[in-house]
Amino acid sequence: MKAGLTRRMLIASGLLALVISAAFAVLLASVADLRASERSARHSEEVVAAANRLERLVVDVEAGERGFLATGQDSRLELWRNGQAALPDQAAELQRLVADNPEQLGMARQIETDATSYIRDYSTPLIETAMRDLGAARSQAASSEGARRIDAIRAEFDRLVGAEHEQAVAGQHRSGAAGRQAIAAAATGLAGSVVLIVVFTGYLSRVVIGPVRRVAAMADRLAGGDLGARLPERSVGEIGVLERSFNTMARSLQANRDELAASRTRIVAAADQARRRIERDLHDGVQQQLVSLALELRAVEASSPPELSAPLAGAIDALVGATDDLRELSRGIHPAILSEGGLPAALRALARRSAVPVELTVEVPERLPEQVEVAVYYVVSEALTNAAKHAEASVVHVEVRKHDGRLHLSVHDDGIGGATAEHGSGLIGLIDRVEALDGTVDIASPVGEGTTLVADLPIEEP
Amino acid sequence: MDDNPRFAAAARGLLTGSGISVVGVASTGAEALQRAAELRPDVALVDIDLGGQSGFDVVRRLHREAGLAPSQLILISSYDEQDFVELIEASPAVGFLSKTALSAAAIRNLLTRGDEGRRNAGETPGR
């Protein structure tokens, strides 16, 4: 699924645009149709109106003729003359209006020809006759030629108007169809667009927004410290790349952190091992040498003359003093009692030696994993040293308990507080040591309220 | 009973010079039991640290298996007595001497004190 997101978006957008464009195109075509129909209808009206006017003129001519024949008054002739005068222009207009329709044009021309013929061939001679001899004209008019001609002209008018009417009706049908087409197009376009948009949104949501939200949530978890956060790798295109990269980064972070933690544990263990070796070597080597030397000198002193025994005794005392110092040093490097007697005994030894009185509560098994014993011993030792050196405390409460596979340690002094992790490297070393064993350390030291150190370590059952 | 030969030699030299005869030296727990059985000493001085073996274990075995009485067992070390005071009290040995304080007089003192302590408190068997 390597198709890029951009291409997919373009395809989807294109599709949507296509549907909308098609709908609008149809709509526009329908509107054009409707306008054409409207124009056509108007045109029809004009044609009918022109035809009616022309017919009116012909009727006027006929009426004027009849009136003159009936009354012989000149006033009727005016109608007759006006009608004739206006007729050519009106006929021309009618022909102009139907010029695009050959059939109707033919009819209009025929009408003009017939009307002109009526006037020229029948009406005018008749009127001339009537002007000379009204009676003769009347009897001439009695023959129905005039009426026939007029009827024929009327019939032609009817045909013309009828044809125009048919056209108009056809046009109405067309515009009705166009209107329905427009509605259908609009409805289809609307529905299609809505469907496409819904599909589009759903698709976007599934392919882009959903995965992005998942990534955001996981990134948040990762930032919060959970290095085990992973994403399912199933998205397309660039989102897929994002998911894979995220997982790689998270794995790398986790591996680094685990490696660092393991490394730190190894370093602490190595340091402790080195100290034990040094203490061993000191004890078995130099210390025994010096102690032996002291005894040998004592033996010599016992059998030496008086003037030598005082200086010798002095030297032996100095030597013993040195061995005592060496013993203190050695204990600081590694307490033998811890290896020999276990944590409770070692803690009690610490309490006895402490300059500040110690209330000690120890509820742990005799033996614990070695690095746990060492860590707890040094934490308590450092805490007691700080209490004696800086805290001006009168008593220190030390509690060590085992509970639920974990070891809880708390050291509380009632001194002046104010201890911080920067105050000498001692506290940082403690924190490092405990954390190297996956434990937690919390030091609360409000000024004036003493210092409380609480540590919590997991104990792996061996 | 000490795993350091030089110290053993120095101790032997000093004690012999003050009237205590050193009948045997052992450097391991097994040797210690053997010698104790063979030589039946009046007193055994046992180093807390017998080259990796625990001197307290050896003292217990000397008491139970080789039949040495508490008044015949003394623990010694170059370590500070304070550090090991609980283990020393729990041990059948009559007491502890620092190696640098080792002398015939110190041994006799300890034995006398131990006797007095037991006479005052009444002997508690299997200590």
Side-chain angles (χ1 to χ4, degrees):
Chain A
M1 280 232 164
K2 289 229 186 129
L5 282 174
T6 316
R7 221 175 80 186
R8 284 159 183 267
M9 301 271 287
L10 282 178
I11 289 174
S13 307
L15 216 55
L16 190 61
L18 203 64
V19 167
I20 294 180
S21 307
F24 271 107
V26 171
L27 203 56
L28 278 174
S30 302
V31 166
D33 262 356
L34 278 170
R35 288 184 62 187
S37 294
E38 196 196 352
R39 269 200 307 276
S40 185
R42 263 206 313 277
H43 186 265
S44 273
E45 280 174 21
E46 281 172 13
V47 166
V48 168
N52 285 343
R53 277 198 297 277
L54 189 61
E55 192 174 5
R56 192 57 185 284
L57 289 175
V58 171
V59 164
D60 282 352
V61 167
E62 199 253 349
E65 175 201 299
R66 250 187 308 110
F68 185 65
L69 282 178
T71 62
Q73 286 172 351
D74 273 345
S75 56
R76 304 305 167 115
L77 272 184
E78 229 185 281
L79 192 61
W80 182 83
R81 283 196 195 102
N82 289 344
Q84 281 182 56
L87 202 131
D89 285 340
Q90 191 61 42
E93 196 196 319
L94 179 62
Q95 283 167 31
R96 185 181 54 78
L97 282 172
V98 300
D100 54 347
N101 189 328
E103 191 194 336
Q104 287 181 343
L105 185 61
M107 283 194 232
R109 283 207 180 113
Q110 185 64 43
I111 290 174
E112 189 187 11
T113 311
D114 289 347
T116 318
S117 166
Y118 173 82
I119 292 170
R120 194 189 55 221
D121 300 335
Y122 176 80
S123 192
T124 309
L126 186 61
I127 294 296
E128 281 170 1
T129 309
M131 282 180 174
R132 280 181 285 112
D133 183 0
L134 204 53
R138 280 190 190 142
S139 54
Q140 202 178 345
S143 78
S144 48
E145 187 191 342
R148 232 187 328 111
R149 285 186 178 236
I150 292 293
D151 284 345
I153 293 175
R154 276 188 201 269
E156 280 161 20
F157 269 117
D158 287 343
R159 268 202 302 280
L160 181 65
V161 168
E164 193 57 44
H165 212 261
E166 268 173 32
Q167 256 195 340
V169 166
Q172 262 184 345
H173 282 303
R174 265 203 312 280
S175 84
R180 279 192 297 280
Q181 189 183 345
I183 290 174
T188 311
L190 184 65
S193 306
V194 167
V195 165
L196 264 183
I197 287 175
V198 165
V199 167
F200 194 24
T201 308
Y203 180 73
L204 252 189
S205 195
R206 189 174 64 82
V207 165
V208 175
I209 295 176
V212 166
R213 287 181 68 186
R214 269 202 305 273
V215 170
M218 277 299 168
D220 198 31
R221 259 176 68 180
L222 191 70
D226 176 7
L227 298 191
R230 299 281 186 274
L231 291 165
E233 295 174 12
R234 56 170 191 249
S235 294
V236 304
E238 290 85 342
I239 308 276
V241 172
L242 183 62
E243 287 171 346
R244 280 190 295 280
S245 306
F246 177 90
N247 283 348
T248 307
M249 281 194 310
R251 264 195 298 273
S252 168
L253 276 174
Q254 193 175 37
N256 278 348
R257 185 194 59 182
D258 291 347
E259 177 53 38
L260 271 175
S263 160
R264 181 162 68 170
T265 309
R266 282 197 298 270
I267 288 173
V268 169
D272 285 345
Q273 242 187 331
R275 289 161 78 135
R276 270 198 305 283
R277 265 203 311 277
I278 292 174
E279 189 268 338
R280 279 282 82 210
D281 289 347
L282 278 176
H283 178 269
D284 294 346
V286 169
Q287 277 186 299
Q288 297 306 309
Q289 306 274 51
L290 294 177
V291 163
S292 309
L293 183 58
L295 292 192
E296 286 161 9
L297 288 176
R298 280 236 180 87
V300 167
E301 188 224 352
S303 55
S304 65
E307 65 267 21
L308 287 179
S309 80
L312 263 177
I316 293 168
D317 283 345
L319 185 51
V320 167
T323 61
D324 287 345
D325 288 346
L326 187 54
R327 191 180 58 199
E328 293 290 316
L329 181 67
S330 219
R331 188 206 290 126
I333 292 173
H334 179 82
I337 178 62
L338 187 61
S339 319
E340 186 68 45
L343 186 60
L347 289 179
R348 284 192 284 270
L350 268 180
R352 281 194 299 275
R353 277 209 310 279
S354 169
V356 180
V358 174
E359 301 255 335
L360 181 64
T361 312
V362 183
E363 289 170 17
V364 297
E366 278 288 316
R367 303 305 327 220
L368 295 162
E370 198 177 336
Q371 65 265 42
V372 171
E373 287 186 336
V374 167
V376 172
Y377 178 88
Y378 280 119
V379 168
V380 174
S381 171
E382 180 73 27
L384 289 177
T385 309
N386 282 348
K389 272 206 296 206
H390 307 296
E392 300 171 25
S394 63
V395 69
V396 183
H397 295 273
V398 177
E399 280 179 32
V400 183
R401 290 179 213 279
K402 179 174 182 238
H403 179 68
D404 262 355
R406 296 187 78 86
L407 189 115
H408 299 293
L409 159 67
S410 101
V411 179
H412 170 71
D413 72 60
D414 60 353
I416 57 173
T420 55
E422 297 94 51
H423 198 332
S425 61
L427 286 177
I428 292 219
L430 295 191
I431 296 172
D432 276 350
R433 197 180 259 289
V434 172
E435 288 187 350
L437 295 174
D438 276 343
T440 57
V441 179
D442 187 63
I443 302 175
S445 187
V447 173
E449 293 175 31
T451 306
T452 307
L453 180 150
V454 176
D456 188 280
L457 299 159
I459 302 176
E460 282 158 17
E461 297 299 324
Chain B
M1 289 149 193
D2 194 299
D3 62 321
N4 188 296
R6 180 164 171 194
F7 174 78
R12 166 177 260 165
L14 178 63
L15 292 175
T16 311
S18 336
I20 293 188
S21 63
V22 177
V23 303
V25 169
S27 53
T28 69
E31 267 184 46
L33 287 168
Q34 238 185 341
R35 295 287 148 79
E38 287 168 14
L39 305 165
R40 316 237 44 104
D42 292 328
V43 173
L45 300 171
V46 184
D47 190 354
I48 285 180
D49 183 353
L50 270 178
Q53 285 182 323
S54 162
F56 296 101
D57 283 342
V58 171
V59 162
R60 265 191 292 278
R61 292 181 69 187
L62 285 171
H63 177 56
R64 287 204 197 108
E65 296 168 30
L68 289 181
S71 57
Q72 296 173 290
L73 296 163
I74 295 180
L75 288 159
I76 60 173
S77 182
S78 44
Y79 289 123
D80 189 351
E81 177 174 8
Q82 272 301 300
D83 282 351
F84 290 88
V85 71
E86 290 169 13
L87 289 171
I88 293 167
E89 308 247 314
S91 167
V94 68
F96 174 92
L97 280 179
S98 168
K99 280 189 186 178
T100 48
L102 189 62
S103 70
I107 294 175
R108 288 192 188 105
N109 256 344
L110 186 59
L111 292 178
T112 325
R113 268 210 327 272
D115 276 344
E116 281 174 3
R118 259 204 305 287
R119 272 204 296 276
N120 289 341
E123 176 150 6
T124 28
R127 213 189 84 185

